[in-house]
Amino acid sequence: MDFVAIDFETANSNRSSACAVGIVEVQGGKIVFEQVWLINPQQHFDRMNIEIHGITPAMVADSPTFSELWPVLEPLLNNKQVVAHNASFDMSVLRYCLDDAALPYPAFHYYCTYQLSKKLLPDMPSYRLNVLAGHYQIPLNHHDALDDARAAALILARLLEREQQSSPTELALDKGYKIGKMHARGYSPFSTTAAKSKKQAKPAASASAKRAAASATVTAAEKSGLQLISGQKADITRHLGLNQLVARVSWKLLNPALEIDATAFLLSAARRCERDEDCIFYGNPVSSDNSVSYSKLGPNAAQFKIDFSKLPLQIQRMAFTLSIYEGEAQQHDFSQVAEISICLLHPQTEQVVAQFDFGEDLLKETAIVIGDLYLHNGNWKFDAIGKGFFSGLQALCENFGLEVSHISNEAHSL
């Protein structure tokens, strides 16, 4: 049971702004080394980030930059088994910092305790690090880089003991995961292995069965497609020849008082809405040309049906978003949402084309851009984003060039 756990904290929303890193090494099932380093990101600090982790610009003023610290970190990671909680975040911070410093990638395999816990502990209310640490009675000062790395290490150790496995490699492969890899030529994400689709015809479902299936948030069938991580792009229509697509969004609430709205913004190539009616949501559920329609599937899910053949030529992108109604006023934010998922589905068979699960690293944000569909060389691709905003729907509208009062008035008139 040998591996290394890592956790980063960042100064702002840029993944290249690492301001602290904690590393914990486990050998033979016991912690043999642990240390935390402050990093001078040479970037601004956002107030919200400071509130989360408590690290200020003054605290890192005399600390090494990432490139100066890297000779110390590299031998601790190179050719090791590396684990992180919500590894897509920590691995992207590492990659962005290396890219920013023009440094080559190290070589190691990596694993994600967030994803492993979701499969092995299906009855947990949330898979955030603090919730899992509480479940295993692991002391945690959340968002302290060393404490977070230590908690990830101990959670993996508990999962290995639970499954009677001796290494993260055995555990991941046994549970159907593709091991994440970082190497000199790039990286591949830690992800579930896509199941092979069955080609035999299915019997026609009854109307009630179809309604029940539609109201489900993320079904077992939806879990079998291409699994994306933040920053990853995927071809959607190129190999399937699809003219239509269903984008199904779901979320799981830790606080049932939250009201979450799903919205699709139809955008120009410049990523701007040219008309108010290009904002598709419950207050404007169908675009004027019937190319995109919205429907609510239940308290924690919504979907958008897209007909690419009806889209006007000026629509080159679609951004799928979530926002919390009166989030700041009611002190509601996405730290009170356990997980978020978008599934892109074949409109007739509901076979999943691609899926993006995220939300573990969202905190005080009250709005998020889940991802973009965008036109590239005549085909539609999906960009998994998972970026958070403050100020809810207003921030989203301003980001896409709309006057928020127009959208808000239309929504509240219902």
Side-chain angles (χ1 to χ4, degrees):
M1 195 184 292
D2 298 347
F3 55 86
V4 173
I6 189 169
D7 181 82
F8 282 103
E9 300 296 329
T10 58
N12 54 58
S13 61
N14 296 329
R15 297 294 170 93
S16 60
S17 68
C19 62
V21 60
I23 288 184
V24 174
E25 184 170 4
V26 174
Q27 291 183 5
K30 296 181 179 180
I31 293 176
V32 297
F33 171 84
E34 58 179 40
Q35 190 167 338
V36 64
W37 294 266
L38 291 178
I39 303 169
N40 186 343
Q42 298 183 311
Q43 297 185 33
H44 73 279
F45 277 68
D46 284 346
R47 177 180 58 84
M48 293 303 300
N49 290 63
I50 295 173
E51 290 180 1
I52 289 164
H53 52 55
I55 301 170
T56 65
M59 292 169 64
V60 303
D62 297 324
S63 299
T65 64
F66 180 86
S67 59
E68 292 169 340
L69 184 61
W70 182 238
V72 177
L73 300 179
E74 183 179 20
L76 297 172
L77 301 173
N78 210 30
N79 297 316
K80 301 290 181 64
Q81 307 292 316
V82 180
V83 62
H85 195 73
N86 191 29
S88 63
F89 172 79
D90 294 284
M91 293 302 112
S92 65
V93 172
L94 179 57
R95 289 188 288 107
Y96 275 68
C97 288
L98 289 166
D99 292 343
D100 196 52
L103 293 166
Y105 289 0
F108 59 74
H109 291 174
Y110 70 87
Y111 310 83
C112 178
T113 49
Y114 174 75
Q115 291 197 46
L116 288 168
S117 298
K118 285 182 69 175
K119 177 165 286 190
L120 298 176
L121 304 171
D123 297 325
M124 291 292 293
S126 167
Y127 298 92
R128 293 180 180 273
L129 186 62
N130 58 328
V131 175
L132 289 169
H135 174 74
Y136 284 119
Q137 298 183 321
I138 298 169
L140 176 66
N141 178 18
H142 200 16
H143 299 298
D144 174 274
L146 182 56
D147 260 37
D148 285 2
R150 188 188 302 114
L154 294 174
I155 288 168
L156 179 58
R158 299 290 196 279
L159 295 176
L160 289 168
E161 292 169 2
R162 181 183 186 276
E163 299 299 314
Q164 298 183 332
Q165 300 280 12
S166 60
S167 75
T169 302
E170 293 177 3
L171 179 64
L173 294 177
D174 182 60
K175 299 304 175 183
Y177 283 94
K178 180 181 177 182
I179 295 170
K181 296 179 182 179
M182 191 171 287
H183 46 83
R185 298 181 304 279
Y187 77 102
S188 56
F190 182 87
S191 60
T192 54
T193 303
K196 294 181 180 179
S197 60
K198 296 180 180 180
K199 295 187 178 180
Q200 62 267 30
K202 295 188 294 183
S206 66
S208 59
K210 288 181 179 179
R211 285 194 297 270
S215 66
T217 52
V218 181
T219 67
E222 291 173 359
K223 288 290 186 182
S224 63
L226 176 62
Q227 300 290 310
L228 304 177
I229 64 170
S230 180
Q232 189 174 2
K233 297 176 174 61
D235 286 314
I236 301 301
T237 62
R238 181 179 179 184
H239 301 297
L240 299 175
L242 290 177
N243 283 326
Q244 298 178 334
L245 190 72
V246 173
R248 184 171 296 166
V249 184
S250 62
W251 54 91
K252 184 177 179 181
L253 297 179
L254 296 176
N255 179 356
L258 266 68
E259 295 182 50
I260 294 183
D261 297 317
T263 305
F265 291 88
L266 310 187
L267 309 171
S268 67
R271 217 164 180 266
R272 309 287 285 180
C273 270
E274 302 297 335
R275 306 172 301 174
D276 290 344
E277 53 265 36
D278 287 337
C279 177
I280 309 300
F281 66 118
Y282 70 88
N284 179 41
V286 183
S287 63
S288 58
D289 48 29
N290 293 314
S291 61
V292 181
S293 63
Y294 162 93
S295 58
K296 187 81 169 178
L297 299 181
N300 299 336
Q303 75 177 17
F304 299 90
K305 292 184 177 180
I306 304 154
D307 188 334
F308 296 112
S309 66
K310 295 180 179 179
L311 279 172
L313 293 177
Q314 69 268 23
I315 302 301
Q316 303 282 297
R317 306 183 75 100
M318 279 175 252
F320 300 99
T321 73
L322 293 177
S323 58
I324 299 176
Y325 177 64
E326 293 188 347
E328 280 81 8
Q330 301 187 57
Q331 295 186 322
H332 293 165
D333 55 58
F334 276 101
S335 70
Q336 300 165 53
V337 181
E339 53 192 82
I340 301 161
S341 179
I342 183 168
C343 273
L344 304 179
L345 304 168
H346 191 288
Q348 281 79 44
T349 65
E350 292 212 345
Q351 178 184 352
V352 70
V353 180
Q355 179 169 326
F356 175 38
D357 299 330
F358 74 105
E360 174 65 15
D361 57 333
L362 294 172
L363 295 165
K364 299 297 183 181
E365 297 92 336
T366 53
I368 51 174
V369 175
I370 302 168
D372 279 4
L373 277 171
Y374 65 98
L375 193 59
H376 179 71
N377 293 334
N379 296 295
W380 288 88
K381 303 182 72 171
F382 182 75
D383 184 8
I385 297 174
K387 179 183 178 182
F389 291 82
F390 305 106
S391 300
L393 181 62
Q394 176 179 343
L396 292 173
C397 289
E398 291 175 352
N399 183 67
F400 296 123
L402 292 176
E403 292 185 25
V404 68
S405 59
H406 293 179
I407 305 302
S408 299
N409 291 338
E410 185 174 6
H412 296 150
S413 65
L414 296 182

